[in-house]
């Protein structure tokens, strides 16, 4: 069993427990009382490098990263730095996240929010929208073609913007086949946890110009952001470097300055 398979198995167990507590009817009622989803795409398509700043306590590859007792305060710092979106990890077992983090961040900022999790069910998309998320992550490696297409269509129908994540050439082809306009290349292969620093540069050449390209993993600071921007990234998604930084507001602002120095 790969690392990804093990993570998804745990996600399905936790999902079953949540389904037993909260019905689909209840989630849809919550959605009806939730503000319309915010659209991050105009910012992502604007000149310069956009930044998705992540609320991330731990990871399977690195272990504990940061103690984040107040995710809302961290999100507020990200927003003050100009973050174009804020990613909130909600997976419990490997990342120590929760839906409570999503609710806390939504209550604190007006910035578009990404629910980052291993989404395998329509129920999780309903949870995302009920919690005020504006974007949802779909990981191609975790889904078969039919499920990927169904979840993508469902997410769009809920008003969510979908970040479709890929790791290799085959997954790029599968992502483009469903019509995604926001594609993330994760340098870390979630099946093995190995990092391929050349993945973005190799895969970005397969992606049409009109698709917004997001570089994920391995972004330690401005130098890495500049490298990805030079390769064609429109957006960087940064977690570890920001949660470890003593001044996340300044760190986000420095990343966003890439490509904007002369504008």
């Amino acid at each position: 069993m790969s690392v990804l398979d093990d993570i998804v198995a745990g996600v399905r167990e936790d999902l079953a427990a949540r389904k037993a507590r909260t019905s689909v009817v209840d989630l849809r009622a919550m959605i009806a009382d939730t503000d319309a989803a915010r659209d991050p795409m105009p910012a992502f398509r604007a000149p310069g490098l956009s930044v998705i700043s992540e609320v991330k306590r731990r990871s399977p590859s690195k272990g504990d990263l940061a103690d984040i007792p107040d995710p809302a305060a961290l999100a507020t710092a990200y927003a003050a730095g100009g973050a174009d979106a804020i990613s909130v990890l909600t997976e419990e077992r490997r990342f120590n996240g929760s839906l409570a983090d999503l609710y806390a961040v939504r209550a604190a900022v007006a910035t578009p929010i990404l629910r980052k999790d291993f989404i395998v069910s329509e129920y999780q998309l309903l949870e995302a929208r009920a919690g005020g998320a504006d974007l949802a992550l779909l990981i191609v490696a975790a889904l078969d073609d039919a499920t990927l297409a169904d979840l993508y269509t469902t997410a769009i129908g809920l008003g969510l913007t979908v970040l479709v994540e890929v790791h290799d050439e085959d997954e790029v082809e599968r992502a483009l086949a469903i019509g995604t306009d926001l594609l993330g290349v994760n340098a870390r292969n979630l099946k093995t946890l190995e990092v391929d620093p050349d993945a973005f540069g190799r895969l970005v050449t397969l992606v049409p110009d009109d698709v917004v390209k997001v570089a994920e993993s391995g972004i330690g600071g401005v130098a890495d952001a500049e490298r990805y921007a030079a390769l064609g990234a429109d957006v960087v998604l940064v977690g570890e470097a920001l949660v470890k930084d003593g001044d996340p507001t300044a760190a986000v602002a420095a990343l966003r300055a890439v490509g904007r120095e002369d504008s």
Side-chain angles (χ1 to χ4, degrees):
M1 178 181 287
S2 72
V3 175
L4 179 60
D5 290 335
D6 185 55
I7 292 173
V8 170
V11 164
R12 290 187 183 280
E13 289 181 17
D14 295 337
L15 174 59
R18 296 198 304 277
K19 282 183 173 181
R21 295 193 300 267
T22 306
S23 71
V24 168
V25 171
D26 289 338
L27 288 177
R28 291 196 178 277
M30 293 167 67
I31 291 170
D33 289 333
T34 301
D35 291 341
R38 297 157 176 82
D39 183 3
M41 294 300 280
F44 290 171
R45 292 188 183 280
L49 189 68
S50 294
V51 178
I52 302 175
S53 306
E54 191 156 80
V55 177
K56 183 178 186 179
R57 293 188 174 88
R58 73 183 318 273
S59 75
S61 59
K62 298 289 186 69
D64 290 334
L65 299 175
D67 180 28
I68 305 175
D70 189 350
L74 178 58
T76 300
Y78 287 160
D84 299 281
I86 296 172
S87 171
V88 180
L89 270 155
T90 58
E91 196 278 332
E92 300 175 27
R93 301 187 183 205
R94 297 295 191 104
F95 292 87
N96 198 25
S98 70
L99 284 168
D101 288 348
L102 177 66
Y103 279 88
V105 171
R106 174 74 293 156
V109 300
T111 308
I113 295 175
L114 165 68
R115 182 191 181 179
K116 194 172 182 201
D117 208 318
F118 297 79
I119 292 176
V120 295
S121 164
E122 175 183 334
Y123 186 90
Q124 291 163 288
L125 295 172
L126 294 172
E127 286 179 320
R129 191 75 275 277
D134 309 288
L135 304 93
L137 178 72
L138 293 181
I139 301 172
V140 173
L143 304 165
D144 60 42
D145 285 344
T147 305
L148 175 63
D150 286 347
L151 291 177
Y152 184 83
T153 299
T154 298
I156 297 298
L158 289 169
L160 291 162
T161 298
V162 184
L163 172 59
V164 182
E165 180 178 293
V166 303
H167 305 85
D168 60 29
E169 289 82 354
D170 177 65
E171 291 175 11
V172 171
E173 183 176 343
R174 294 176 60 202
L176 295 177
I178 62 171
T180 184
D181 58 357
L182 181 62
L183 186 143
V185 176
N186 194 340
R188 187 178 303 281
N189 186 323
L190 293 176
K191 294 180 180 179
T192 64
L193 298 185
E194 294 177 355
V195 174
D196 179 358
D198 298 320
F200 185 87
R202 185 176 68 252
L203 299 182
V204 73
T205 62
L206 306 176
V207 184
D209 291 342
D210 61 343
V211 174
V212 172
K213 303 159 190 72
V214 184
E216 306 175 40
S217 293
I219 302 161
V222 169
D224 292 322
E226 289 175 338
R227 178 172 65 86
Y228 278 122
L231 289 170
D234 303 296
V235 186
V236 288
L237 191 157
V238 187
E240 179 181 350
L242 293 178
V243 299
K244 289 183 171 182
D245 196 289
D247 190 347
T249 296
V252 171
L255 291 171
R256 284 197 83 250
V258 173
R260 292 182 169 87
E261 292 87 347
D262 300 322
S263 61

